[in-house]
Amino acid sequence: METVTIHIAKTTLSQLLARVEAGEEIVLARGKQPIAKLVPFQPPSVKRKFGALRGIVSVGPEFFEPLSEQELAAWE
């Protein structure tokens, strides 16, 4: 991880962004004091929506019936 001053970052922003796109992380500093970090953007993961399969998937009443002895034995 490289540290770059703000002055250099202003003059070479496009090159720094290309390096960040390639996966590198760059620290921006005011003098010798770090103040920010450039990192690649990662879009947030898509959260599952409750009820998204409503009307597409259905569970019949047989789902709630007890399993037969043969089916129970297969699970052991």
Side-chain angles (χ1 to χ4, degrees), residues 48-57:
R48 291 184 270 174
K49 181 180 175 187
F50 185 77
L53 295 177
R54 183 178 289 146
I56 299 172
V57 176

Side-chain angles (χ1 to χ4, degrees), residues 2-73:
E2 183 179 349
T3 301
V4 176
T5 64
I6 294 173
H7 175 71
I8 294 174
K10 283 198 246 179
T11 59
T12 61
L13 182 60
S14 58
Q15 290 100 354
L16 292 175
L17 290 177
R19 289 169 53 189
V20 169
E21 280 182 315
E24 194 173 336
E25 294 183 356
I26 299 173
V27 175
L28 300 179
R30 181 175 287 127
K32 294 185 181 198
Q33 180 68 33
I35 59 169
K37 186 184 338 181
L38 293 175
V39 295
F41 176 75
Q42 295 179 353
S45 62
V46 179
K47 292 187 178 182
R48 291 184 270 174
K49 181 180 175 187
F50 185 77
L53 295 177
R54 183 178 289 146
I56 299 172
V57 176
S58 63
V59 177
E62 65 279 355
F63 178 81
F64 299 100
E65 294 176 5
L67 296 175
S68 67
E69 292 298 323
Q70 183 181 7
E71 290 172 317
L72 285 173

